[in-house]
Amino acid sequence: MIITKKEFKDAVKNIIVDAIKSTNDPMFTKEENKEADRNIATAMTDFYSRMITKLFAGREEWEANKEELSDSMNQCSDERMQEHPSFTTALENIACITSVGELLRTIAGNEEEETQEPQEKEFDVEEILKEAGSEQK
């Protein structure tokens, strides 16, 4: 399956938005939740920016490939740990890596929607109404 850079970015943006929505902790104050949201958004945008650079490498389309995606994901995670070796970075990487699974499902779901042929109707409502003598005009 071929995916455009824009499609990939749109899917990533949705993944990041969903991740932020799911991180609100009722035990934290509003300000603490805002800071946590900013931290996860920053980590994920950094992670996915690196992935986009690797996967698209100056191209506008990418032949979706799980091995290449996995390699890229591992490289980005390793780079982030080398630049900022901390427990927090490790946790952020786990969140980012986990989100890649959701990204794959999103991309695969979009592919299914695009390639699914229109299903033939089991019944034609107009034909049934006509046979029943209830032709609506």
Side-chain angles (χ1 to χ4, degrees):
M1 149 181 63
I2 294 177
I3 184 167
T4 67
K5 194 174 193 178
K6 182 185 180 332
E7 290 169 331
F8 192 88
K9 284 181 170 182
D10 289 346
V12 165
K13 182 179 176 187
N14 291 334
I15 297 300
I16 294 171
V17 168
D18 288 345
I20 291 168
K21 286 180 180 178
S22 68
T23 60
N24 252 344
D25 189 333
M27 300 295 288
F28 289 170
T29 66
K30 188 176 182 176
E31 288 305 313
E32 289 171 325
N33 274 318
K34 275 184 173 181
E35 186 175 338
D37 290 349
R38 178 170 298 289
N39 290 341
I40 195 65
T42 300
M44 291 182 86
T45 55
D46 175 56
F47 179 84
Y48 279 111
S49 293
R50 292 170 190 255
M51 283 193 61
I52 289 167
T53 299
K54 290 178 186 324
L55 295 174
F56 288 88
R59 304 174 292 189
E60 287 301 311
E61 293 182 339
W62 171 61
E63 177 90 32
N65 174 315
K66 287 182 183 179
E67 289 87 25
E68 188 178 359
L69 186 68
S70 180
D71 289 345
S72 199
M73 172 186 72
N74 290 328
Q75 288 173 6
C76 294
S77 180
D78 290 346
E79 288 172 5
R80 294 185 79 248
M81 277 306 291
Q82 288 173 2
E83 292 171 11
H84 307 285
S86 71
F87 181 69
T88 302
T89 303
L91 291 177
E92 290 170 352
N93 281 343
I94 290 169
C96 293
I97 289 168
T98 303
S99 73
V100 172
E102 184 61 31
L103 176 66
L104 280 173
R105 285 186 287 283
T106 300
I107 291 170
N110 289 346
E111 171 74 4
E112 278 181 24
E113 287 174 14
E114 290 174 11
T115 59
Q116 232 175 26
E117 294 179 19
Q119 298 217 343
E120 191 174 313
K121 293 180 184 177
E122 293 294 327
F123 301 100
D124 183 340
V125 173
E126 298 303 321
E127 186 177 309
I128 291 171
L129 289 172
K130 189 177 186 178
E131 282 185 36
S134 178
E135 296 176 27
Q136 302 290 323
K137 295 184 183 189

